[in-house]
Amino acid sequence: MLNNWDKWMAKKHKKIRLRCQKGIPPSLRGRAWQYLSGGKVKLQQNPGKFDELDMSPGDPKWLDVIERDLHRQFPFHEMFVSRGGHGQQDLFRVLKAYTLYRPEEGYCQAQAPIAAVLLMHMPAEQAFWCLVQICEKYLPGYYSEKLEAIQLDGEILFSLLQKVSPVAHKHLSQQKIDPLLYMTEWFMCAFSRTLPWSSVLRVWDMFFCEGVKIIFRVGLVLLKQALGSPEKVRGCQGQYETMERLRSLSPKVMQEAFLVQEVVELPVTERQIEREHLIQLRRWQETRGELQCPSPPRLHGAKAILEAEPGPRPSLQPSPSIRLPLDAPLSGSKGKSKASKQVQKEPREPARESGQQGWPPTRSQAKAEAAAGDASPPQDAPAQDPAPQDSAHHRSRESLTSQESEDTYL
């Protein structure tokens, strides 16, 4: 699928979505995230850009903040356990490069866990471009100075909760608990600090494919499972008890298989989210005025990103992994018929060019020539190149290895 990515995205996107819901194999997850997010195309369109940003000194006000946050990201993971280790160094490089790439946005603490998860699956340069895609396409405005986009999404989440779980919505309304109190870390860190690791990876697989609706669905499932019945609400009489319930979610609810099944089955679509977004934006403008940091429209998943930014893609052909000797017979009959046709055509070419009499040949002459061509090759046929590039053998459909050592984006 990765070696024929554009074709699969154009014709069989549903299959890609189902594969992402099943879970991307760990050995391919890093590559798949780059292709799904469009980070691979960004990297090809901006060769050397990350190295240029990496060599730049950076803004001191952001560098100090980034330095203080490095040891807080997954402190028990082997990549980030040691101060000054390669994991913390790469994390610093990626976050510093983003502050230079988007100086008007700068650095936000919630970007650090996002970048750390990416670095666990890919080198620093690829992680940087995936981070750019998350910040600009999947979650635009989340990491801007005023955090207006996350506030709007909090209101959208709360409105959708009324349809998904009226009991939970009513309880949170009665307790006057603002959505920002429980959903900010969920959404801004894409649940990387909330869920068990196996569940985080499954959620991210679907998030890269289908977009922010997966983040909304996960949040709604957690709220429904924590506060979605009268029995559950009975044990949360005040704000403190309710917040404690949301902070210490049941392990069964966050378990990978249960959570993914609930998320897949929850009927919340991009259209509903966009409709709610327009409603909440209108309310915001009526009560607070215009947004101070308006963000670009978000793109809902890999297909929307591909259609919005098709980008120039070099037509790289995979080199064959199976090379047959020149005299080896092919299993199909097509190769044989093509070869015999080429043999038949070669002796006729000079006759056509010189304008000899008797051209075109009669049907009986053509049959005789074809029989002679099948029996023995023409004497004046050119000698075969020991390593032809265009022969049928070297166009094997079974070839899967890419021409470069890195991934080939087709």
Side-chain angles (χ1 to χ4, degrees):
M1 292 171 89
L2 292 172
N3 284 340
N4 296 280
W5 186 250
D6 284 354
K7 194 180 292 183
W8 278 89
M9 285 295 291
K11 297 182 179 178
K12 297 184 179 179
H13 178 257
K14 184 181 177 183
K15 185 72 171 176
I16 291 178
R17 193 180 77 236
L18 292 173
R19 289 272 170 92
C20 291
Q21 290 174 359
K22 277 174 62 177
I24 299 171
S27 60
L28 293 175
R29 186 168 269 128
R31 284 180 67 192
W33 285 359
Q34 292 175 57
Y35 281 67
L36 288 163
S37 66
K40 183 74 176 174
V41 177
K42 275 282 190 184
L43 175 61
Q44 290 179 338
Q45 290 173 344
N46 298 276
K49 182 68 176 176
F50 176 75
D51 293 331
E52 177 191 326
L53 297 170
D54 192 25
M55 298 298 290
S56 303
D59 190 336
K61 76 170 181 179
W62 295 125
L63 300 186
D64 293 340
V65 183
I66 293 171
E67 282 277 7
R68 288 199 296 269
D69 281 349
L70 292 179
H71 70 282
R72 298 173 185 156
Q73 313 311 321
F74 302 98
F76 300 110
H77 193 281
E78 60 182 353
M79 270 186 72
F80 306 104
V81 71
S82 59
R83 280 183 177 272
H86 71 92
Q88 290 196 14
Q89 287 179 14
D90 284 349
L91 183 58
F92 178 81
R93 292 169 61 209
V94 169
L95 295 173
K96 183 197 84 170
Y98 189 81
T99 63
L100 293 167
Y101 185 74
R102 286 283 176 265
E104 70 281 0
E105 215 171 88
Y107 166 69
C108 175
Q109 284 183 319
Q111 289 173 316
I114 298 282
V117 174
L118 293 171
L119 282 168
M120 292 178 200
H121 293 85
M122 60 193 80
E125 186 174 19
Q126 284 86 339
F128 168 74
W129 289 113
C130 282
L131 177 67
V132 167
Q133 291 297 90
I134 290 172
C135 297
E136 293 185 353
K137 303 295 188 300
Y138 288 88
L139 308 173
Y142 268 37
Y143 309 105
S144 61
E145 187 180 358
K146 302 293 181 183
L147 300 178
E148 291 171 326
I150 196 74
Q151 294 179 59
L152 273 173
D153 278 1
E155 297 301 327
I156 294 169
L157 177 73
F158 196 58
S159 179
L160 291 171
L161 182 63
Q162 189 170 15
K163 297 166 186 148
V164 172
S165 178
V167 175
H169 181 270
K170 182 180 178 182
H171 177 75
L172 291 169
S173 299
Q174 288 174 344
Q175 298 296 332
K176 296 181 181 174
I177 297 176
D178 193 286
L180 288 176
L181 293 174
Y182 52 84
M183 59 79 66
T184 303
E185 186 176 82
W186 290 357
F187 277 51
M188 292 186 74
C189 300
F191 293 98
S192 59
R193 285 180 164 177
T194 306
L195 299 174
W197 186 242
S198 60
S199 301
V200 170
L201 296 178
R202 294 290 300 279
V203 166
W204 278 45
D205 289 346
M206 296 186 290
F207 167 63
F208 275 117
C209 182
E210 301 180 60
V212 77
K213 77 175 178 188
I214 296 298
I215 303 295
F216 277 98
R217 286 184 185 181
V218 175
L220 292 166
V221 167
L222 296 182
L223 289 169
K224 180 182 175 182
Q225 294 297 326
L227 302 167
S229 68
E231 295 78 23
K232 293 172 181 173
V233 166
R234 212 169 288 130
C236 305
Q237 295 301 319
Q239 282 189 358
Y240 177 78
E241 291 82 4
T242 304
M243 288 304 300
E244 278 301 303
R245 174 70 62 84
L246 293 175
R247 284 195 194 101
S248 54
L249 294 160
S250 165
K252 182 207 165 200
V253 171
M254 298 188 290
Q255 195 264 335
E256 175 188 348
F258 176 83
L259 181 64
V260 170
Q261 189 66 27
E262 290 288 318
V263 167
V264 169
E265 292 176 356
L266 195 68
V268 173
T269 64
E270 296 101 337
R271 186 173 294 179
Q272 287 175 290
I273 292 170
E274 287 306 314
R275 191 186 303 126
E276 276 302 327
H277 179 81
L278 292 174
I279 293 169
Q280 298 303 331
L281 184 61
R282 202 176 301 119
R283 287 180 186 169
W284 178 291
Q285 291 167 343
E286 289 169 0
T287 56
R288 310 189 204 185
E290 292 296 326
L291 294 171
Q292 295 183 31
C293 301
S295 55
R298 64 177 147 217
L299 300 176
H300 290 273
K303 192 169 178 65
I305 290 172
L306 184 70
E307 290 169 353
E309 286 189 347
R313 287 181 176 77
S315 178
L316 298 174
Q317 297 296 329
S319 61
S321 58
I322 301 172
R323 293 191 178 274
L324 301 175
L326 295 176
D327 55 349
L330 290 176
S331 57
S333 60
K334 289 184 180 177
K336 192 172 181 181
S337 62
K338 283 183 183 176
S340 63
K341 283 180 184 176
Q342 287 174 356
V343 172
Q344 291 171 20
K345 285 178 184 175
E346 284 176 1
R348 293 188 214 155
E349 287 297 328
R352 196 190 311 182
E353 291 172 4
S354 58
Q356 291 178 356
Q357 290 184 355
W359 184 268
T362 63
R363 186 175 297 178
S364 59
Q365 288 174 337
K367 284 182 181 178
E369 284 180 13
D374 286 337
S376 61
Q379 294 180 357
D380 59 343
Q384 285 187 333
D385 190 3
Q389 296 301 315
D390 297 326
S391 69
H393 303 300
H394 294 268
R395 289 180 185 169
S396 169
R397 292 285 178 91
E398 297 174 80
S399 308
L400 293 177
T401 57
S402 62
Q403 191 167 353
E404 302 173 338
S405 60
E406 276 283 19
D407 320 328
T408 302
Y409 194 103
L410 296 176

